[in-house]
Amino acid sequence: MTIRGGMTVSVRGWKGIAFDVLRRRGEDVTVMMVGDDRRRKVHVSDCVALSRKSFCRECGQIGC
């Protein structure tokens, strides 16, 4: 699956936390932790797409 803006993903190194993808530029993705306001840049290969039902929209915890 292709990672693109508007998706929600998990990020390697941040176990159990969901991130919203803000934008993708080449192989870099700008993400923001669900429920947070800090942006982070990560490599697209570190992201795995999540379904909307697999995480909490309020706290960002996967499996909440």
Side-chain angles (χ1 to χ4, degrees), residues 4-25:
R4 61 186 182 285
M7 295 179 81
T8 303
V9 298
S10 63
V11 176
R12 185 179 310 167
W14 293 88
K15 186 175 180 176
I17 301 171
F19 289 81
D20 288 324
V21 176
L22 303 177
R23 70 174 165 247
R24 177 177 176 173
R25 291 198 177 174

Side-chain angles (χ1 to χ4, degrees), residues 24-56:
R24 177 177 176 173
R25 291 198 177 174
E27 296 300 308
D28 290 326
V29 184
T30 302
V31 297
M32 185 165 43
M33 190 181 301
V34 173
D36 196 3
D37 61 352
R38 288 178 279 169
R39 296 171 185 222
R40 294 168 174 81
K41 246 185 208 181
V42 298
H43 194 272
V44 70
S45 66
D46 291 335
C47 300
V48 176
L50 296 173
S51 70
R52 294 271 181 212
K53 294 179 181 181
S54 64
F55 65 95
C56 176

